[in-house]
Amino acid sequence: MAESYSQKIREQTKMQLNSKRKTGNKMSTPAVLRLLKILPVAFVLVALAWLVQSCAIVSPKGAKTENCSLCHQEQVETFQQQKFRHASVAKNQCRDCHLSHGVTNKLVLVKEKAELCYSCHLQQQTEFQKAYVHYPVVKGDCSKCHDPHGASDPNFLPKTGQELCSTCHFEMDEEFAKPNVHMPAREGKCDACHESHASDHPNLLKATGDTLCALCHDSQDPQLQASHKRYAVDKAGCQDCHDAHASTEKGLFQQSVHLPVAQGECDSCHASPDSTGSADLVAEEPALCYSCHNEQEYQKSNSHPPVQEGKCLSCHRPHASEDDSLLVESGKDLCFQCHPDSMEEFNKTYVHTPIRKGECTGCHNPHSTDKESLLVESDAELCFTCHQAEEQKYSQGTVHAPINMDQCLICHDPHASNVKGQAVAQGGELCYTCHSDTKAQLQKKDAHQPFSSGNCLRCHESHATPQPYLLVDREADLCYSCHTREAQKLNQPFVHGPINKGQCDTCHSGHASDLGSQLLDTETKLCFQCHEDVQRSLATNQYIHQPFATGLCSQCHEPHGAGNKFFLKQEGAPLCYKCHVDEEMRFKQGKVHMPVAQGACPTCHAPHASNNKKILVTPESELCSSCHDYDQIDFQNTHLRSLTAGTKCTGCHEPHASKQEGLFHQYAHSPYEQGLCGACHELP
């Protein structure tokens, strides 16, 4: 295909060059052919484009006309075969609409879209300035319906009638598939009723209402009068009963027909066609309606204003409608006529399903009811007609107070909201409308992250749950879903009682506290709630361990779980050395007292409090004698048989470590160094 096209161009170029030579052009054909053979293909195409542009046929008068068919032969032939051709196409004057291509090989119009068309069709541009304009005309897209070169239709339409209209109005295909179709529509003559470009009437109609119908239907036609029970129809409003396009009902009746109309009993509501004023009603509205419809059903404590005012036709058509209830508009469109503010609900993020579907009567009685706001049922009872699964769920365990009170609308907007779940407010702000005391806790220093961010639903269920406080899970499991590191402490050998029972709220506030870690109280007060014996030691002892005195139990103890007894963070001396850093260095030099070497500090010292100095577990002499047997002969001889129950051992010995043998003090009294105790003491 590519070779034949190239060959064709070469042959046409030769012919044009020969023609040029005859008219005085000195360029030789062989030279050009040699050039074509040696130049790369890209340069050949550029040369051809230049040659084609220069190959204009000169008329006797010297005026130039394009010979676009030199390259666009197939297109031109197609255009020339059309029954109706655009004037410029017929005259082979492509440049009326197109710029010359140059070497871009791109179609370029001399003006944009409709502006180009209006340069010739100026009168049509004026006619299009009407109230209702066809969308393609508004967009200036004339070629949406018209072929700019030619077509078999005199208006250059690429398709005819309904076939063309359906390319955009494809929803009408389903409409026209109904068994009864209006004759113009059946024949594909949309323009019998509609203007193609612009109109002064809605839907681009050629006329409005009965005036349009009268263009084809003569109101004086006997057959037409007979089908309407001899009632005058020239001002009856044809579309009150008939569909303009198609219907499932004979006579193009709309989907729902008022029973008297369907039965041909027009005189049920109207005076006899033979009487003066035959179109007059036999009774006034609403008395006429109540002659068939039970009036008592519309006289309840809360009635729709049109019902109260007896204006049935504010909402209903008297003859026929596309709606089952003979409504003048479908669903929400009818309600919005009086409730335009409700239209804004559709712009919100979360719209109640009945509202989104336009089913206002899913919740509201359109006539009369004993319920507030014309609801078909009371608050929660109405909600549960759809939310049946929730009703069963909300009847178990801990139930949110508004649910128990059947007041769903305390939290939810019945129509729409920008908050998920159609909540009336975002997160915590919704909860605080009732829980103002909880909101006050936000002023405390240490707030739980979900609480401070207003994410109450991170921990609480909004409706009901088997857990207390509407928690979404068992207390500890809920806490561990975030506090995973603390959850690992459950695997420790020693676990704090409240943790073991899953009772985190024994010590912590779920919302906020003025103390660190959201503690409910100071450490000591929290600990004393269970450890009363430790609390008594604080009150009854003179010497108190510094962390204990300052209420820092967690300085030594893990509050949740640990690998050591008494939940100690470390066992023995390493824990003490966290604070007693200097002692740790000193105790590692020279001779070390056995308990110190073993890291058994509690052998001598009480961990919390004592009435003995240095928080000793017993008085000094008693403490030493608990390990050292004073009655042992060798031990007595070593001490010159001077030991008694009241002897103060630390007078001579270091209690922890010393560089001297026997843990003696570094500096000693001269007689003592010489072993001359009798110089000062009376020996036995």
Side-chain angles (χ1 to χ4, degrees), residues 344-472:
E344 298 178 4
E345 305 288 354
F346 283 85
N347 297 323
K348 295 182 179 178
T349 309
Y350 301 95
V351 182
H352 196 194
T353 300
I355 295 294
R356 188 174 64 252
K357 293 181 177 179
E359 298 172 352
C360 304
T361 55
C363 298
H364 299 282
N365 186 309
H367 296 110
S368 185
T369 176
D370 290 325
K371 306 292 190 298
E372 292 185 3
S373 302
L374 288 174
L375 294 176
V376 296
E377 296 290 351
S378 60
D379 199 340
E381 188 177 355
L382 173 60
C383 298
F384 291 146
T385 56
C386 292
H387 303 282
Q388 296 173 356
E390 284 79 358
E391 180 179 17
Q392 183 177 2
K393 175 184 174 183
Y394 299 161
S395 62
Q396 302 173 359
T398 306
V399 182
H400 198 193
I403 299 294
N404 273 333
M405 296 186 293
D406 290 340
Q407 295 184 355
C408 305
L409 301 189
I410 288 179
C411 299
H412 300 282
D413 189 296
H415 297 120
S417 170
N418 286 322
V419 183
K420 190 176 182 180
Q422 293 164 230
V424 297
Q426 183 74 48
E429 290 305 316
L430 171 60
C431 301
Y432 301 150
T433 55
C434 294
H435 302 282
S436 56
D437 55 331
T438 304
K439 182 179 181 179
Q441 295 185 43
L442 286 170
Q443 305 304 317
K444 294 185 177 182
K445 296 178 181 178
D446 189 12
H448 195 195
Q449 194 277 333
F451 176 55
S452 63
S453 63
N455 187 13
C456 304
L457 297 184
R458 177 63 185 85
C459 300
H460 299 282
E461 173 63 60
S462 56
H463 296 102
T465 173
Q467 308 301 330
Y469 308 113
L470 289 171
L471 295 178
V472 298

Side-chain angles (χ1 to χ4, degrees), residues 1 22 40 69 76 102 111 125 172 207 240 394 470 492 555 645:
M1 179 69 72
K22 291 177 181 179
S69 61
V76 172
K111 293 182 180 180
Q125 182 181 17
M172 297 305 296
D240 285 348
Y394 299 161
L470 289 171
Q492 296 282 6
Q555 191 163 323

Side-chain angles (χ1 to χ4, degrees), residues 70-138:
L70 185 63
C71 291
H72 303 285
Q73 184 175 355
E74 292 182 9
Q75 291 93 327
V76 172
E77 287 178 356
T78 300
F79 300 156
Q80 296 298 337
Q81 290 172 3
Q82 296 292 351
K83 184 177 180 180
F84 298 95
R85 288 165 290 169
H86 196 197
S88 297
V89 174
K91 297 175 182 178
N92 197 29
Q93 293 182 349
C94 305
R95 292 190 185 181
D96 284 352
C97 299
H98 299 286
L99 294 172
S100 58
H101 294 195
V103 295
T104 63
N105 197 30
K106 180 180 178 182
L107 182 67
V108 182
L109 296 175
V110 297
K111 293 182 180 180
E112 289 294 330
K113 292 187 176 182
E115 186 182 357
L116 174 60
C117 300
Y118 293 150
S119 61
C120 292
H121 303 282
L122 188 60
Q123 180 180 353
Q124 282 81 354
Q125 182 181 17
T126 304
E127 292 177 357
F128 296 164
Q129 307 302 313
K130 294 182 179 179
Y132 302 93
V133 183
H134 197 193
Y135 185 73
V137 176
V138 174

Side-chain angles (χ1 to χ4, degrees), residues 496 506-507 519 521-535 548 551-554 557-559 608:
H496 197 194
T506 301
C507 301
L519 292 177
D521 210 331
T522 61
E523 286 190 21
T524 49
K525 288 183 179 180
L526 280 176
C527 297
F528 291 162
Q529 290 178 8
C530 298
H531 304 285
E532 296 178 356
D533 56 330
V534 179
Q535 182 181 15
F548 183 44
L552 296 177
C553 304
S554 61
H557 301 281
E558 280 285 356
H608 296 114

